[in-house]
Amino acid sequence: MYQELVDYIHKHQDEILSNWMDGMKGQTDERLVGVVSDQVFTRTSREFVDLLISNLVKDDDFNLKLEDFAAKVIRLGWPLTFVTKGMQTFGKIVFEDMRNAGIIPDEKLMEFGDAFDKWMSPMYHEVVSVYTETWEKTVSLQKIALQELSAPLIPVVEKISVLPLVGTIDTERAKLIMENLLTGVVKHRAEVVLIDITGVPVVDTMVAHHIIQAAGAVRLVGAKCMLVGIRPEIAQTIVNLGINLNEIITTSTLRKGIEAALELTNRKIVELEG
């Protein structure tokens, strides 16, 4: 019975693949398949079908192929629901096509149904397990990379350093920012630190609280803190939330902040003649 299944899938692989892609595009959010080209979607879909077949014929390299495929579809942005739905769709297409072709007679429906279940169920659980492990590993590596690149204190001129913030700031990241800030102030002997929030999309009460805490910590180690990159919408949000930034010098741009920082350290920018 397994051999009949294998022979049918191999003989009609292109037709099954075409029906599978049409079926997946029809029941999936267009944005999901729209993020990749038709060529990439076709190639990846063929790899997925080949993967399912390799499990059917007991390929020794199935687990290795599955890990590689999981990593690829995660990079493409295919969620687990898309992958599991793809398996269900594939099984349904093969079963119905074989039945319509008369390969599965009515008197053997139960027998073939059991064979399909023995083929699909273990593979379903294996795919879910490997995909989940690969996803967790990917997220963990991305998190480590983000932490390594997050909030470096950059000395721009003597006694003046800049802390550029990009992205969303949560409690865990705020702690890392505080550590990098204080360590950098001491290391670079900074007298003025500019916290640049140009790249922070939203400043709410929590983010403002973390910034105020950071400014206070900077003052405790003998430096002054400035908040730069305040866009009009951010300024309006701060006012509406009633956040008090009176103890922090603020400017709209990093350039204005550096000019103010130079004045605080008894220097200024001079244009040379000629």
Side-chain angles (χ1 to χ4, degrees), residues 20 24 27-28 32 48 51-52 66 69 73 78-92 120-121 123-132:
W20 183 87
M24 291 304 296
Q27 58 182 308
T28 302
L32 181 60
F48 184 51
L51 181 69
L52 301 180
L66 178 56
F69 181 79
V73 296
W78 288 7
L80 180 58
T81 51
F82 183 88
V83 177
T84 54
K85 186 182 293 184
M87 295 177 62
Q88 295 168 352
T89 301
F90 180 82
K92 183 178 179 181
M120 295 296 292
S121 293
M123 181 171 57
Y124 185 92
H125 295 301
E126 184 69 19
V127 168
V128 171
S129 176
V130 171
Y131 185 98
T132 303

Side-chain angles (χ1 to χ4, degrees), residues 4-254:
E4 291 179 83
L5 187 57
V6 172
D7 292 343
Y8 180 84
I9 292 176
H10 276 304
K11 186 177 180 180
H12 300 85
Q13 186 169 343
D14 290 339
E15 180 183 348
I16 293 171
L17 174 64
S18 178
N19 292 336
W20 183 87
M21 289 192 297
D22 290 340
M24 291 304 296
K25 286 183 177 180
Q27 58 182 308
T28 302
D29 190 335
E30 291 183 0
R31 291 173 297 180
L32 181 60
V33 295
V35 295
V36 297
S37 65
D38 289 339
Q39 183 179 5
V40 172
F41 181 73
T42 300
R43 184 171 64 248
T44 308
S45 298
R46 184 176 293 278
E47 290 180 21
F48 184 51
V49 172
D50 289 342
L51 181 69
L52 301 180
I53 295 174
S54 71
N55 176 259
L56 180 63
V57 297
K58 309 302 180 184
D59 188 341
D60 293 336
D61 294 330
F62 172 73
N63 287 336
L64 182 60
K65 291 179 180 178
L66 178 56
E67 290 177 4
D68 291 341
F69 181 79
K72 176 178 292 186
V73 296
I74 286 174
R75 289 195 300 270
L76 290 176
W78 288 7
L80 180 58
T81 51
F82 183 88
V83 177
T84 54
K85 186 182 293 184
M87 295 177 62
Q88 295 168 352
T89 301
F90 180 82
K92 183 178 179 181
I93 289 173
V94 173
F95 188 85
E96 290 181 351
D97 286 354
M98 291 181 69
R99 188 179 180 188
N100 292 334
I103 299 174
I104 304 178
D106 291 342
E107 62 272 15
K108 290 189 176 182
L109 277 178
M110 292 292 293
E111 190 176 352
F112 269 90
D114 288 341
F116 264 79
D117 186 63
K118 289 179 180 178
W119 167 42
M120 295 296 292
S121 293
M123 181 171 57
Y124 185 92
H125 295 301
E126 184 69 19
V127 168
V128 171
S129 176
V130 171
Y131 185 98
T132 303
E133 290 177 4
T134 305
W135 174 259
E136 290 176 349
K137 187 185 298 182
T138 301
V139 171
S140 178
L141 291 174
Q142 290 176 342
K143 189 173 183 180
I144 292 173
L146 179 62
Q147 289 177 341
E148 290 176 347
L149 297 173
S150 179
L153 189 67
I154 304 170
V156 287
V157 294
E158 186 183 0
K159 301 179 182 180
I160 299 175
S161 296
V162 176
L163 181 74
L165 300 182
V166 179
T168 304
I169 300 174
D170 54 19
T171 302
E172 184 177 350
R173 190 172 178 219
K175 292 179 181 177
L176 181 63
I177 290 171
M178 182 78 77
E179 292 175 4
N180 289 350
L181 179 60
L182 296 178
T183 301
V185 168
V186 175
K187 178 181 178 181
H188 302 303
R189 298 180 180 178
E191 293 184 6
V192 182
V193 174
L194 292 79
I195 300 178
D196 185 5
I197 62 170
T198 304
V200 178
V202 178
V203 174
D204 54 17
T205 304
M206 186 190 73
V207 173
H209 175 69
H210 289 315
I211 292 174
I212 293 171
Q213 279 190 324
V218 168
R219 285 196 298 270
L220 289 176
V221 294
K224 296 178 181 178
C225 186
M226 298 178 61
L227 185 62
V228 304
I230 300 181
R231 306 183 300 278
E233 62 270 23
I234 297 296
Q236 187 174 2
T237 300
I238 292 173
V239 171
N240 291 338
L241 292 174
I243 299 169
N244 184 7
L245 296 178
N246 292 337
E247 296 184 4
I248 304 176
I249 301 173
T250 60
T251 65
S252 58
T253 65
L254 177 59

